[in-house]
Amino acid sequence: MIKTVVTLVKRWYAIPYLLLCTLVSVQSVLYLLGGNDFSFSWLGSAVALVPLVIFIGIVYFLPWLGIAHFIAIPVVTVLLGSFLAIIEMRAVPTFYTLFFGLGGVLAYIFWYSYLDRGDNQLLRIGAKLPEFSVRTLDGQLLHSSAFLGRKTLMVFYRGNWCPACQVQLRELAAEFEEIQRRGVAVVLISPQTPERSAEQAQRFNVGMQFCIDEGNLAARSLGIAHRYGVPLGILGYGQDTVLPTALIVDENGKIVYADLTENFRVRPKTKTLISALDSVWM
């Protein structure tokens, strides 16, 4: 019950928080440009929140740009803004800076980013991959048994809306030839619609196989479903998604590598995956 409540709170966090920060940023800038007496506190509020709003906006609305890696940028501007705000300590702008700026960034890094996933005995290294089914882009039902007889890298990703997923898939596409050279198939699985996955496949235009987990059924059978994982305001993706997961499975269906990240911003680098492949088969 508590975990469900926390997940719901997280779902309500991102977009409403961005809207509130936008309003506060506009108010701070208008004060500074409105001919009022100069104020360190209002300047601190603007310095803390304007870059933060721009950063979050780019992260969520232009996720393929990969700016999510540069979380240090808003951290630095928020710290600078907080320093300016407390010089003068005007109540309203200082509250804006410390609550929405410093507090919001700390909440994002140390609370919102964590997935609260428990131990998953189904996907432990050495275990046989549980059976599940997904659909190909052309609507064909694909059972997990179809992956037997070949080495497979499976990446379960949340969808086109997820900035960390976009960076992860872009890195995989860039190194796809290196992975393919090792005789490994790459299968990308998401609960998003076939149209959105087809858009993704067309964007990268390499031989990675995109599959659709309708109704998140495969994720549930594997214990990696993320209920209420889609932020409020992200339209067209439903409310449930999958916990980001990367698996390497051998020809016999045995899991030889598993990354079940606890932090949605942290994904295994493609170089790390290639090293894992080499450690198993070379």
Side-chain angles (χ1 to χ4, degrees):
M1 176 64 180
I2 294 177
K3 186 175 181 179
T4 300
V5 171
V6 171
T7 303
L8 280 170
V9 172
K10 285 187 175 182
R11 183 169 191 257
W12 280 77
Y13 171 80
I15 302 301
Y17 172 69
L18 175 60
L19 293 175
L20 287 172
C21 285
T22 301
L23 292 174
V24 170
S25 297
V26 170
Q27 182 180 357
S28 301
V29 171
L30 289 177
Y31 181 92
L32 293 171
L33 298 178
N36 301 291
D37 293 337
F38 177 78
S39 167
F40 277 108
S41 291
W42 282 108
L43 177 61
S45 178
V47 168
L49 292 167
V50 172
L52 180 61
V53 168
I54 294 173
F55 180 86
I56 296 176
I58 293 174
V59 164
Y60 280 96
F61 297 109
L62 299 172
W64 54 87
L65 295 182
I67 196 175
H69 278 325
F70 302 98
I71 188 67
I73 295 174
V75 170
V76 170
T77 58
V78 162
L79 290 175
L80 176 59
S82 299
F83 173 76
L84 293 172
I86 62 177
I87 290 177
E88 195 175 39
M89 289 292 288
R90 288 198 187 185
V92 172
T94 302
F95 171 77
Y96 286 165
T97 305
L98 298 182
F99 183 80
F100 291 106
L102 184 61
V105 166
L106 292 177
Y108 177 80
I109 295 174
F110 296 107
W111 171 69
Y112 181 75
S113 296
Y114 285 87
L115 296 168
D116 303 318
R117 73 194 298 171
D119 292 335
N120 190 320
Q121 293 301 311
L122 295 174
L123 301 181
R124 68 186 186 279
I125 295 175
K128 189 174 180 61
L129 181 70
E131 293 184 2
F132 64 90
S133 298
V134 292
R135 295 222 175 245
T136 61
L137 289 181
D138 58 6
Q140 298 297 312
L141 189 64
L142 184 66
H143 296 284
S144 54
S145 58
F147 303 123
L148 294 175
R150 58 174 175 166
K151 308 164 189 174
T152 307
L153 167 61
M154 297 181 186
V155 176
F156 293 83
Y157 70 102
R158 303 197 292 178
N160 294 10
W161 62 269
C162 172
C165 296
Q166 297 304 300
V167 173
Q168 182 182 29
L169 267 57
R170 187 177 63 189
E171 291 178 354
L172 282 170
E175 298 288 345
F176 176 71
E177 290 186 4
E178 280 295 312
I179 298 173
Q180 189 179 45
R181 190 168 62 83
R182 288 162 171 78
V184 179
V186 179
V187 180
L188 308 173
I189 303 171
S190 171
Q192 67 185 355
T193 64
E195 293 77 16
R196 295 187 187 279
S197 290
E199 173 189 329
Q200 194 83 294
Q202 185 176 15
R203 178 183 303 145
F204 294 118
N205 194 30
V206 294
M208 302 187 296
Q209 183 176 11
F210 285 81
C211 296
I212 297 90
D213 181 11
E214 292 181 329
N216 233 20
L217 295 178
R220 292 177 189 173
S221 67
L222 297 175
I224 55 174
H226 189 185
R227 193 179 183 194
Y228 306 126
V230 178
L232 186 73
I234 302 294
L235 304 178
Y237 292 90
Q239 62 181 13
D240 298 336
T241 187
V242 63
L243 294 166
T245 302
L247 305 172
I248 298 175
V249 182
D250 70 10
E251 300 93 330
N252 300 313
K254 185 177 72 173
I255 300 171
V256 297
Y257 173 91
D259 184 278
L260 283 67
T261 182
E262 293 281 352
N263 186 324
F264 75 79
R265 294 187 294 107
V266 180
R267 310 293 175 87
K269 296 289 186 182
T270 304
K271 296 292 187 183
T272 301
L273 296 174
I274 292 175
S275 295
L277 293 172
D278 290 343
S279 68
V280 175
W281 285 296
M282 292 184 68

